[in-house]
């Protein structure tokens, strides 16, 4: 691979732009090491999942991530999707394995909007009989 591959991943309000290049397996998120940026183990696993799905690729690619918006979970899942898309661009043979794991599907769920006359999207104000 002579040039870096880039891709975009989205989840809820989070948008992740990633740059994939040959290297030693470093993952940098907004200038920090990903284990420092995501201290929770399950979020680190989300970021690593595309590499674990494809055998023999772990530790051979560097990933630089710019992520903004949303919370930690949305950001981690946006990064997961972006890495999966970049890997498909890198080698089309990876696509079936990634697709089987559901890593290429955009999760459409997002927060429902607040309605007027309600406390939240569906929650009503407290009812008072007297």
């Amino acid at each position: 691979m002579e040039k870096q591959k880039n891709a975009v991943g989205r989840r809820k309000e989070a948008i992740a732009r990633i740059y994939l290049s040959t290297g030693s397996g470093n993952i940098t998120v907004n200038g920090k090491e990903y284990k420092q940026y995501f201290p929770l183990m399950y979020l680190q696993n989300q970021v690593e999942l595309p590499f674990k799905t494809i055998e023999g690729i772990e530790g051979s690619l560097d990933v630089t991530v710019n992520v903004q918006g949303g919370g930690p979970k949305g950001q981690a899942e946006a990064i997961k999707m972006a890495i999966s898309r970049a890997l498909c661009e890198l080698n089309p043979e990876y696509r079936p394995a990634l697709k089987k794991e559901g890593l290429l599907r955009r999760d459409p769920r997002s927060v429902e909007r607040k309605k007027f006359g309600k406390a939240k999207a569906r929650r009503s104000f407290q009812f008072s009989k007297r």
Side-chain angles (χ1 to χ4, degrees), residues 57-68:
I57 201 164
E58 247 180 317
S60 63
L61 297 170
D62 281 349
V63 183
T64 308
V65 184
N66 292 328
V67 66
Q68 60 198 52

Side-chain angles (χ1 to χ4, degrees), residues 34 40-50 52 80:
Y34 82 105
L40 298 174
M41 197 65 203
Y42 80 100
L43 295 177
Q44 293 173 16
N45 291 337
Q46 288 289 311
V47 174
E48 296 164 355
L49 193 61
K52 288 179 179 172
K80 172 178 76 171

